[in-house]
Amino acid sequence: MSANGVLVAHGDRPREGGPDRKQVEVAVGVLLRADGAFLLTSRPRGKVYEGYWEFPGGKVEAGETVEAALRRELIEEIGVTIGAVHPWRVEVVDYPHALVRLNFCKVHEWSGELHMHEGQAFSWEQLPVRVQPVLPGTVPVLAWFAQERGFEGATHAGE
């Protein structure tokens, strides 16, 4: 984390687009089951950070709200229609390939069966998470869960 509140991922790598690059708005769904488990999906083959685990979601298109983007992305990516969207936290992550503003939203209700339309894998997780590697922008969420739940110890395996 840098002084300006931006999480810098892989700070040793050069940044694409230079110092004045535009932030990309991203809607992220934190799907939570009644037992407290949360859904993580793997990044699809051919995408940046392929195979890393993250919460599902995607880019907010021009003229779209975070909620509308999240609804669209979760249907497109994992085949579920979500109920109420609860905006939770925002995290800015400076990845080598993009500067992203992650709008994390909790979702407790959805309909439809999970179907990974992009060939990704999914896993219902508890703390500490078992899947690895975890995308840098996902790590703060695990810490937030640990804080909310009074969890002592590592937030993901290998810590």
Side-chain angles (χ1 to χ4, degrees):
M1 180 76 69
S2 72
N4 62 357
V6 174
L7 174 65
V8 178
H10 301 103
D12 58 331
R13 297 183 192 168
R15 309 283 116 172
E16 293 177 17
D20 297 325
R21 60 196 177 144
K22 185 179 174 225
Q23 269 189 24
V24 177
E25 287 287 325
V26 176
V28 184
V30 180
L31 276 66
L32 294 160
R33 292 192 318 206
D35 66 358
F38 48 89
L39 181 71
L40 291 178
T41 59
S42 64
R43 298 223 8 113
R45 174 171 256 154
K47 288 201 175 179
V48 177
Y49 286 97
E50 174 183 322
Y52 277 71
W53 290 84
E54 65 180 351
F55 292 94
K59 290 181 190 172
V60 177
E61 301 294 340
E64 219 176 17
T65 64
V66 169
E67 181 176 335
L70 186 59
R71 289 182 184 287
R72 176 184 50 76
E73 286 286 346
L74 294 185
I75 290 169
E76 290 174 4
E77 278 187 24
I78 65 172
V80 297
T81 300
I82 58 175
V85 172
H86 305 278
W88 184 31
R89 304 235 184 148
V90 175
E91 182 80 17
V92 176
V93 182
D94 183 355
Y95 287 105
H97 71 285
L99 180 62
V100 296
R101 185 171 189 267
L102 301 170
N103 298 275
F104 292 100
C105 301
K106 288 184 176 181
V107 176
H108 299 277
E109 300 165 352
W110 58 89
S111 61
E113 293 295 317
L114 289 174
H115 185 283
M116 302 295 112
H117 292 289
E118 297 178 345
Q120 68 275 51
F122 75 91
S123 181
W124 287 101
E125 292 288 326
Q126 297 273 2
L127 294 178
V129 299
R130 300 161 293 153
V131 294
Q132 291 293 320
V134 175
L135 195 65
T138 296
V139 173
V141 181
L142 303 178
W144 301 334
F145 277 149
Q147 186 178 23
E148 280 184 357
R149 299 171 182 192
F151 187 87
E152 299 294 327
T155 54
H156 58 283
E159 234 180 58

